[in-house]
Amino acid sequence: MSGVASIHLVENALLVSIQDDVTDTEIIDLQDALSNRIADENVDGVIVDISALEIVDTFVGRVIAQLAGISRLLAAETYVVGMRPAVAVTLVELGMYLPQTRTALSLSHALAQLRRG
Amino acid sequence: MAEPQPDFLHKIIQRIDLRTGKDAVQARQVVARELKARGVSALRVTRFATAVSEIARNVIVHGGGGHFTVGLNAATSYLDVECRDRGRGIPDIEQAMKDGFTTAGGLGRGLGGAKRLSDRFEIETVPGQGTTVRMSAKI
């Protein structure tokens, strides 16, 4: 795994923060690493913090959507937290609604939702 | 195809060779920096930087690499970006601009999306010779 994003276990979830200079290759590597950790650690959720991301284009959006699909097959929910308003507007303009992901405004909101099950 | 605006890229700020994902990241970061420095709103910075990211990736993935140039159009207050490759070109540009069209297994929203997110957008492509995209954001 590159140094771009480290994966942390917080309560029953895996937390990862994506950095703004992430490349296509690195985010695919991250998707692979997260998929393995979801299965290995039997977590209920994956929390992807994108607050550092100034843009989410169709490629990164697709990887996040795929990650949510993979997580669900492995019995975990994916939460996207920290999305900037400008990113949300742009994703909608691109026609990307990330239907499999659940969004939360912050990490603590995501963890609270996971605790409730 | 449309001729470029006569004052397009009037004052060049930076050129970047587009070969890897890192180059595409640098290109959209330069665009974001230049727009922010001119007081453009966060939403408009994100929209145009996203458009540039889509096109820069196309150059790398479909065009076999190419060149990115960013500059100013002082007369009309646009930040101009040109992305040029010498790849195989796009045979049917109208089809390629439609949402849902993809040749590389993607979502097929990149090209049409980039056009919607730009204030000015034109594409020139010659099959077998390459593609040039000229796109601008009002500053």
Side-chain angles (χ1 to χ4, degrees):
Chain A
M1 190 63 224
S2 71
V4 172
S6 47
I7 302 168
H8 302 281
L9 182 64
V10 181
E11 297 182 18
N12 55 345
L14 294 173
L15 170 67
V16 64
S17 297
I18 301 181
Q19 301 305 304
D20 188 53
D21 56 356
V22 68
T23 65
D24 292 0
T25 317
E26 288 163 345
I27 200 159
I28 290 285
D29 289 347
L30 176 64
Q31 186 191 55
D32 286 352
L34 267 173
S35 307
N36 287 319
R37 292 274 303 262
I38 294 165
D40 291 348
E41 308 197 26
N42 196 21
V43 292
D44 297 325
V46 177
I47 302 172
V48 183
D49 180 354
I50 62 164
S51 57
L53 291 187
E54 190 160 50
I55 74 152
V56 173
D57 63 14
T58 56
F59 184 85
V60 173
R62 181 161 57 106
V63 172
I64 292 173
Q66 283 175 346
L67 174 66
I70 294 165
S71 303
R72 190 158 290 178
L73 288 172
L74 297 172
E77 286 295 329
T78 298
Y79 287 83
V80 172
V81 303
M83 186 184 291
R84 299 184 189 190
V87 168
V89 172
T90 305
L91 276 175
V92 170
E93 282 190 83
L94 286 170
M96 302 200 70
Y97 299 90
L98 306 182
Q100 300 234 47
T101 63
R102 304 176 72 166
T103 50
L105 289 176
S106 69
L107 172 61
S108 55
H109 283 110
L111 285 171
Q113 288 187 48
L114 277 166
R115 273 185 220 117
R116 283 199 296 270
Chain B
M1 278 294 156
E3 287 295 308
Q5 305 278 335
D7 41 7
F8 189 85
L9 285 178
H10 183 74
K11 182 175 170 235
I12 288 171
I13 297 169
Q14 195 166 338
R15 293 180 201 271
I16 297 169
D17 286 345
L18 296 175
R19 291 197 194 90
T20 70
K22 278 196 167 40
D23 302 325
V25 169
Q26 194 196 352
R28 57 121 168 129
Q29 285 182 334
V30 166
V31 165
R33 182 193 72 204
E34 293 298 325
L35 289 175
K36 272 188 241 170
R38 286 163 181 84
V40 172
S41 74
L43 174 58
R44 301 191 61 250
V45 170
T46 292
R47 290 174 86 247
F48 192 59
T50 304
V52 170
S53 179
E54 299 291 347
I55 300 302
R57 178 180 298 103
N58 280 355
V59 167
I60 294 163
V61 174
H62 301 287
H67 303 282
F68 160 94
T69 310
V70 59
L72 280 176
N73 184 331
T76 52
S77 300
Y78 280 98
L79 187 79
D80 294 333
V81 167
E82 183 181 85
C83 291
R84 181 186 288 267
D85 68 59
R86 301 190 66 77
R88 60 202 149 126
I90 304 168
D92 185 341
I93 193 70
E94 276 183 37
Q95 186 190 33
M97 295 297 294
K98 276 184 195 154
D99 276 9
F101 180 77
T102 174
T103 55
L107 278 169
R109 295 203 164 100
L111 209 48
K115 183 177 182 178
R116 286 200 296 280
L117 296 173
S118 303
D119 293 324
R120 288 201 312 208
F121 185 96
E122 59 184 43
I123 185 164
E124 196 180 321
T125 184
V126 182
Q129 290 184 33
T131 301
T132 301
V133 171
R134 297 184 194 89
M135 56 205 299
S136 309
K138 192 88 178 149
I139 53 180

